[in-house]
Amino acid sequence: MNLKSISFYLGLFCFPVSLLAFINILYSSYFDYFLNINSYVITLVISVLVGLILFVFGKKAQKRINFIEQLLLIILVYFITTAFIALPFYLSNYQVTLINSLFEATSGITGTGFSTFENIKYLDPTLILWRSSSQWIGGLYFLTFLILIFSNKQFSYKMNDLTY
């Protein structure tokens, strides 16, 4: 198994979460919503550090990964980005539990839209933006993974005529 190549791509997938955390910091600063800005700074620092460590670890590796490694990469990306996206929910001032924050992040990244919040309109606008950004990044990752899988020559996605 080519773990260095997987870590290289996994590091690349950490950077969009960092970008969204940076955008939320700018949004919070511009509109004076300083209530939860620390959670976005922590998310930015952790996602950049983990992304850089994984990127540097796999930088000199062979960049070709087979189908099984691609599937492992997809699973790891969903787990790691869900953990990153859950951080602002968990660290917010709304006392969201770890399970509920992971549920919010998972529903955002998978695009289901389920929520544990009773009334969204009473939330901080930066947390609403973060929730929307998680859905956007989930859609981006889904499209990227479709391209990744269907561009693989080892995976046959064509319907075969099976006659018995």
Side-chain angles (χ1 to χ4, degrees):
M1 179 127 342
N2 195 355
L3 292 178
K4 283 194 173 192
S5 295
I6 292 173
S7 70
F8 172 78
Y9 290 117
L10 195 56
L12 288 178
F13 278 108
C14 290
F15 294 130
V17 178
S18 308
L19 178 68
L20 291 178
F22 183 70
I23 289 171
N24 253 12
I25 292 169
L26 292 178
Y27 181 81
S28 299
S29 299
Y30 185 75
F31 290 110
D32 295 330
Y33 294 118
F34 296 111
L35 185 63
N36 293 324
I37 198 166
N38 292 337
S39 62
Y40 304 118
V41 171
I42 291 170
T43 303
L44 174 69
V45 169
I46 290 174
S47 61
V48 165
L49 283 177
V50 170
L52 281 175
I53 289 169
L54 290 170
F55 181 78
V56 169
F57 177 72
K59 188 176 180 181
K60 294 183 180 176
Q62 175 189 2
K63 303 301 185 280
R64 289 189 77 46
I65 56 176
N66 62 23
F67 182 68
I68 301 298
E69 293 166 347
Q70 287 176 356
L71 292 179
L72 179 65
L73 174 68
I74 290 170
I75 292 168
L76 288 175
V77 164
Y78 273 120
F79 278 121
I80 288 178
T81 54
T82 299
F84 289 152
I85 290 172
L87 280 176
F89 293 119
Y90 184 67
L91 298 174
S92 70
N93 292 334
Y94 294 103
Q95 299 174 348
V96 181
T97 63
L98 181 63
I99 299 297
N100 285 345
S101 62
L102 285 171
F103 181 82
E104 282 292 327
T106 305
S107 71
I109 204 162
T110 57
T112 59
F114 295 131
S115 181
T116 59
F117 295 119
E118 297 279 328
N119 202 347
I120 302 276
K121 65 181 175 181
Y122 295 121
L123 289 178
D124 188 21
T126 57
L127 202 59
I128 294 172
L129 178 66
W130 184 255
R131 194 169 172 269
S132 303
S133 301
S134 70
Q135 293 172 354
W136 181 83
I137 202 167
L140 175 74
Y141 284 173
F142 180 74
L143 290 175
T144 305
F145 295 147
L146 283 178
I147 293 169
L148 183 74
I149 288 176
F150 287 129
S151 67
N152 192 336
K153 303 292 184 218
Q154 296 173 345
F155 178 69
S156 177
Y157 55 89
K158 296 177 182 167
M159 296 293 290
N160 294 329
D161 186 16
L162 299 175
T163 55
Y164 296 100

